[in-house]
Amino acid sequence: MNSSQKIVLFIGLVLIIIVFIVWLTGGSEIFTKTQVYVEKTSELDQLLGLEPKKELQDTFIFGLVPPGLSFTAELISASTVAGLIAVISAALFFFFRIKKQKETTV
Amino acid sequence: MKQISYIVFVVIISFTLSFAQGFKIKASGNQTFTFDDKRNQASFFSTTPLEDVTGISNEVKGSVTFDVNDFTTLKGKISIPAASLKTGIDTRDGHLRSPNWLDAAKYPEITFTIKKVSDIKVVADNKLQAKVTGDFTTHGVTKEEVADAVVTYLDESTETQKRSPGDLLGVSAKFNIILSDYDVDNVVLGQKVSDNIEISVNMFGSNSR
């Protein structure tokens, strides 16, 4: 393993750890969400004995896995971002190995 | 003889009235309330091994009729379109509507038809707590379920007129169903949803519509 490969491996691991820290601090939700329910109530609702009304509000929550493939925002999750970093790191790792082999051959 | 008949009549009336439980409000007689406001909600709550799921419909429709002095006379029907349930995740909503789950195309309505009312407790002059038995229909299957309901009657006032004309009736009810009783395949997004689902309704209706 040459120094470039070590750097790639180190940066890749650090980025993956950061992704999971972001996921953990962002509520550790299993699925990525683009909408969440918020509760709203009024004085009259309370007089009528009604529980707070739940309304969907557009909010992005970074989840562990994507809930589906309906639209791009749903794809943004800890596992997909970490997976992408792993793939890019692996590609760079092999790129630097080939480069080193070529240099040695020359 | 006339006196005896009169006493028997008074005793029977008093006996009947003492067991008739209803609201002590300005209105009297039979009242019909219509529920069609977009603020009304019906929801389900379920658990999966990974996370809890709440689905909500804002398209609650229906009506109830009862004698304000005798809540046991309650009759009516509440329904929601099966396709109107939203969980906050589009893909999951699609699964809910699919043939394996609610099959919204084949069975478009989820309904609760009131059959009888029991265990009435007077919480306040305008508030009753009761068990409401009815036929719950979803996925083409009908079963009898018992809901715990709290019903609040508000006489028309300047405050209620801001929301809707007429007297208002607030209903908050909950009951649990077993999904497998309704031939529903309880898997959504690859997760096995609990067979026990809590259903709740929060709605108000007006008697002026």
Side-chain angles (χ1 to χ4, degrees):
Chain A
M1 196 188 300
N2 60 43
S3 59
S4 299
Q5 285 177 306
K6 281 178 189 166
I7 291 167
V8 166
L9 203 65
F10 177 75
I11 293 172
L13 281 173
V14 167
L15 286 175
I16 288 171
I17 289 167
I18 289 170
V19 166
F20 282 99
I21 288 170
V22 170
W23 170 69
L24 281 168
T25 53
S28 316
E29 289 280 342
I30 300 299
F31 293 112
T32 290
K33 291 178 180 66
T34 52
Q35 289 181 313
V36 289
Y37 277 111
V38 289
E39 293 191 342
K40 287 182 181 174
T41 192
S42 67
E43 218 171 284
L44 189 61
D45 284 337
Q46 286 167 357
L47 282 173
L48 284 163
L50 302 178
E51 285 181 7
K53 179 177 160 44
K54 292 186 180 80
E55 282 180 15
L56 276 174
Q57 198 174 63
D58 289 337
T59 308
F60 182 79
I61 294 177
F62 188 63
L64 183 63
V65 287
L69 308 168
S70 308
F71 53 97
T72 326
E74 280 190 347
L75 281 170
I76 305 167
S77 68
S79 61
T80 48
V81 175
L84 199 66
I85 293 168
V87 168
I88 293 168
S89 302
L92 287 171
F93 190 87
F94 283 103
F95 171 77
F96 286 120
R97 195 178 73 170
I98 293 161
K99 203 178 165 189
K100 175 82 179 170
Q101 278 172 347
K102 277 182 183 171
E103 280 170 5
T104 318
T105 319
V106 172
Chain B
M1 187 63 191
K2 257 188 179 177
Q3 259 188 333
I4 292 167
S5 303
Y6 178 74
I7 289 164
V8 168
F9 177 76
V10 168
V11 167
I12 288 168
I13 291 295
S14 309
F15 190 77
T16 310
L17 285 177
S18 66
F19 280 90
Q21 286 177 297
F23 297 102
K24 289 180 183 120
I25 44 166
K26 283 183 204 163
S28 62
N30 274 338
Q31 298 287 338
T32 297
F33 285 85
T34 307
F35 303 91
D36 58 6
D37 196 282
K38 284 279 179 193
R39 277 168 285 207
N40 292 333
Q41 292 192 319
S43 62
F44 75 82
F45 175 78
S46 177
T47 55
T48 71
L50 295 178
E51 66 172 9
D52 297 339
V53 182
T54 301
I56 293 176
S57 167
N58 288 311
E59 294 178 36
V60 184
K61 283 196 167 42
S63 66
V64 295
T65 302
F66 59 93
D67 181 337
V68 290
N69 301 120
D70 183 7
F71 197 60
T72 58
T73 57
L74 180 74
K75 289 281 175 269
K77 186 179 176 181
I78 304 297
S79 68
I80 62 156
S84 66
L85 283 163
K86 298 215 179 303
T87 64
I89 295 178
D90 288 349
T91 310
R92 191 161 55 194
D93 297 346
H95 283 216
L96 270 181
R97 291 189 288 267
S98 71
N100 281 349
W101 255 81
L102 300 175
D103 200 353
K106 197 173 175 187
Y107 309 108
E109 292 283 305
I110 297 172
T111 60
F112 187 87
T113 308
I114 299 162
K115 283 162 73 180
K116 67 171 184 177
V117 180
S118 59
D119 299 352
I120 300 169
K121 282 179 195 154
V122 179
V123 181
D125 284 352
N126 70 332
K127 187 177 273 193
L128 302 175
Q129 207 176 316
K131 290 201 181 294
V132 180
T133 306
D135 282 335
F136 180 70
T137 303
T138 187
H139 201 237
V141 179
T142 301
K143 274 188 76 71
E144 192 175 271
E145 303 287 356
V146 181
D148 290 313
V150 178
V151 186
T152 309
Y153 196 113
L154 289 185
D155 287 312
E156 189 172 20
S157 65
T158 47
E159 191 62 34
T160 61
Q161 279 168 350
K162 287 176 194 166
R163 177 75 56 103
S164 182
D167 297 345
L168 298 185
L169 189 78
V171 180
S172 182
K174 271 185 188 156
F175 61 99
N176 284 58
I177 62 160
I178 304 295
L179 269 185
S180 49
D181 288 349
Y182 295 88
D183 299 335
V184 174
D185 174 19
N186 55 337
V187 176
V188 173
L189 290 181
Q191 300 175 75
K192 198 162 175 70
V193 174
S194 165
D195 204 24
N196 197 323
I197 302 274
E198 184 189 276
I199 293 178
S200 54
V201 181
N202 260 292
M203 58 187 186
F204 75 92
S206 162
N207 63 357
S208 76
R209 287 172 191 143

